Amino acid sequence: MDANEVKKYLTLKKVELKHLKQFNELLRYVFQVTDSDLEEGGYEDESEIIRAKRPVLREADVYGWFNQEDKLISQIAIYPCEVNIHDSIYDMAGVTGIGTYPEYTNLGLMSDLISVGLEKMRENKQTISYLYPYSIPYYRRKGWEVMSDKLSFEIKDSQLPKQVNVPGYVEREDIDHEDVFKIYDQFSLQNHGAMVRQELNWEEYWRWENEEERTAAIYYSKDDEPLGFCFYWIAEEVFHIKEMVYLNQEARKGLWNFVSAHFSMVDSVEGDTYQNEPISFLFEDSEIKESIEPYFMARIVDVEAFIQKYPFITTGKPFHFVVEDPIAGWNNRIFSLTWDEDDVLTISDEAIGNPVYLDVQTLTALFMSYKRPSYLYRIERLKTDKETLRTLERIIPDQGAYFSDYF
């Protein structure tokens, strides 16, 4: 039986709360979540993780393919988020829960679900989407592109920074201390790409972590103002840093003072950072181990609506994008950008000015500032003239994305 014949007996529809157990069973199978994984994440049994996922299914738009017995065989979940893109808050569609049972692969089921998902995102005015990729090549073919990296590091105890004088102090608190949320809320509004976390986002952030074994070290100024935190745990003489967030350099120094104070207790410090730059330069002994890997991917869902809200640094001579999108047909067109004397942007489908040829993946990398226009031009991911290239360099902010969440 060929693929078209098989699909005749399948139904694409919305996944509801009554399908929650099937939703989790498919996730566990596809991602090979074991009982030990559940235990390490602090869950007593499978029923607890099923209950924990209930809010996601309740708030998200979840679509799936069902067989004749109404068994869920393929699914995609899209839940509403907000992110900071160069100091402008965007509605973002977080794509998660993707999976298909192996006996139903190669039928184009996921492609259909992604198409439906993109239409729903556009309807919800979620002009950009994030996802954690199980296959970067696959999602590039669907229009997503890498937008942020994760940098992992290992520091020997002898390489830890020396204590420096700071006016504030550190307190150890629970990870859900109110000052943690206060600090992160400010941090997310200062850092391009970051999730503006609501309660569900925090739940997903800790989903596969054992919160009971994690501690928050919070740095306070001399006036008792919370300025930074570090989530950490110590195991087998290793100080593990899940994330370090700070609002200024005083807080950064104070938190590293706290880490260095464990010199006699640990052999090394290991952790991750999501800034788009190495941390070794900040240390006197910079010969630490660092490795970098792509972390999250993004996709512009609705090009016109996304650009209309985009916070360009300045204006420029009119030009137009010629965009190719493999799935979202509404993006396959010309987008001309012109500014009036009051710097108000107008977007039209007329070919005004010089063209910039690129696909939606490259456009995403460009506007998320993952790669600069000149670099994308050099590797032939976009084509334009030198004058328009210089315009792009001037008008697009140059700050890499920070994204530390997982869903």
Side-chain angles (χ1 to χ4, degrees):
M1 188 181 297
D2 64 22
N4 291 330
E5 194 66 25
V6 172
K7 288 178 75 171
K8 287 182 181 179
Y9 299 96
L10 305 179
T11 304
L12 194 164
K13 62 181 181 180
K14 193 157 188 176
V15 178
E16 301 174 355
L17 277 174
K18 65 181 180 181
H19 303 117
L20 180 58
K21 185 176 180 181
Q22 292 191 56
F23 175 84
N24 280 282
E25 286 175 347
L26 179 50
L27 281 184
R28 285 197 64 178
Y29 186 92
V30 171
F31 296 104
Q32 294 296 290
V33 179
T34 65
D35 290 336
S36 62
D37 292 327
L38 293 177
E39 184 177 344
E40 288 178 11
Y43 297 100
E44 293 183 1
D45 53 36
E46 184 176 4
S47 63
E48 189 176 352
I49 185 66
I50 289 176
R51 289 194 299 274
K53 276 290 187 181
R54 186 182 297 272
V56 174
L57 200 60
R58 183 181 293 114
E59 294 192 28
D61 288 310
V62 186
Y63 295 93
W65 282 99
F66 292 79
N67 65 13
Q68 287 179 294
E69 289 75 42
D70 203 37
K71 179 183 178 181
L72 181 62
I73 60 171
S74 182
Q75 67 188 22
I76 185 172
I78 305 160
Y79 78 101
C81 307
E82 288 184 327
V83 291
N84 171 12
I85 296 180
H86 295 303
D87 300 329
S88 184
I89 304 304
Y90 278 72
D91 289 328
M92 183 270 282
V95 176
T96 184
I98 297 172
T100 302
Y101 283 117
E103 61 268 34
Y104 292 98
T105 56
N106 299 318
L107 299 180
L109 303 185
M110 189 51 61
S111 292
D112 292 340
L113 289 175
I114 288 174
S115 294
V116 169
L118 287 170
E119 290 173 0
K120 187 65 179 179
M121 294 175 205
R122 190 186 187 208
E123 179 184 325
N124 291 340
K125 302 188 185 307
Q126 296 162 323
T127 57
I128 190 164
S129 169
Y130 285 12
L131 61 78
Y132 179 79
Y134 69 81
S135 169
I136 290 176
Y138 176 82
Y139 287 111
R140 275 181 169 154
R141 292 195 295 271
K142 304 300 181 184
W144 275 263
E145 184 53 89
V146 177
M147 66 87 166
S148 71
D149 297 323
K150 178 174 75 171
L151 189 148
S152 301
F153 57 85
E154 180 180 347
I155 308 169
K156 298 176 184 177
D157 56 353
S158 60
Q159 296 174 309
L160 286 169
K162 296 177 182 178
Q163 296 280 324
V164 295
N165 291 325
V166 292
Y169 60 95
V170 171
E171 295 281 359
R172 288 181 294 113
E173 301 287 357
D174 293 335
I175 60 171
D176 59 354
H177 191 277
E178 62 180 356
D179 287 338
V180 166
F181 301 133
K182 182 179 179 180
I183 293 163
Y184 183 81
D185 287 347
Q186 295 178 67
F187 178 84
S188 67
L189 298 179
Q190 294 176 7
N191 285 268
H192 160 59
M195 178 87 82
V196 180
R197 291 181 192 151
Q198 308 301 328
E199 183 178 356
L200 180 59
N201 306 129
W202 277 107
E203 290 176 5
E204 287 297 291
Y205 177 85
W206 290 110
R207 179 72 66 203
W208 298 107
E209 298 270 350
N210 193 332
E211 300 107 303
E212 294 180 359
E213 297 180 2
R214 308 296 185 251
T215 302
I218 304 176
Y219 180 83
Y220 294 90
S221 71
K222 64 178 181 179
D223 298 321
D224 304 320
E225 180 184 359
L227 295 176
F229 65 78
C230 173
F231 292 137
Y232 76 95
W233 74 100
I234 300 173
E236 298 180 353
E237 299 184 320
V238 176
F239 190 105
H240 297 271
I241 296 176
K242 174 173 171 61
E243 184 176 17
M244 183 181 288
V245 165
Y246 44 86
L247 302 180
N248 60 26
Q249 294 304 301
E250 176 192 329
R252 176 182 68 81
K253 294 172 184 177
L255 289 170
W256 276 108
N257 279 351
F258 175 79
V259 176
S260 295
H262 293 78
F263 173 84
S264 62
M265 298 173 53
V266 301
D267 292 330
S268 63
V269 174
E270 297 179 6
D272 300 314
T273 181
Y274 303 86
Q275 299 284 10
N276 195 22
E277 59 185 21
I279 66 168
S280 57
F281 186 74
L282 301 172
F283 297 148
E284 181 180 1
D285 186 346
S286 292
E287 293 186 53
I288 67 174
K289 291 184 179 179
E290 291 182 296
S291 61
I292 191 167
E293 61 180 316
Y295 187 51
F296 252 68
M297 301 184 80
R299 184 200 209 284
I300 295 176
V301 175
D302 188 326
V303 171
E304 181 169 356
F306 180 88
I307 295 177
Q308 192 68 61
K309 189 176 180 180
Y310 192 79
F312 292 101
I313 294 175
T314 184
T315 61
K317 185 177 179 180
F319 66 92
H320 64 275
F321 290 111
V322 182
V323 180
E324 293 183 6
D325 192 314
I327 299 178
W330 52 85
N331 291 331
N332 279 310
R333 47 166 276 215
I334 286 172
F335 300 89
S336 290
L337 280 64
T338 58
W339 290 266
D340 64 18
E341 62 275 7
D342 296 318
D343 296 341
V344 175
L345 174 65
T346 298
I347 301 174
S348 71
D349 56 6
E350 298 179 35
I352 302 172
N354 293 327
V356 180
Y357 299 94
L358 73 181
D359 54 34
V360 72
Q361 303 95 299
T362 304
L363 189 71
T364 301
L366 182 70
F367 280 122
M368 291 301 294
S369 299
Y370 185 69
K371 298 297 179 185
R372 294 303 296 166
S374 295
Y375 176 78
L376 294 169
Y377 173 84
R378 190 163 64 249
I379 64 170
E380 300 178 348
R381 286 284 297 268
L382 67 78
K383 297 179 181 179
T384 190
D385 62 284
K386 291 296 181 68
E387 181 184 7
T388 305
L389 184 63
R390 286 192 292 268
T391 296
L392 291 173
E393 285 286 353
R394 287 197 308 273
I395 68 176
I396 295 177
D398 186 13
Q399 182 190 10
Y402 180 102
F403 192 78
S404 60
D405 288 68
Y406 178 82
F407 47 79

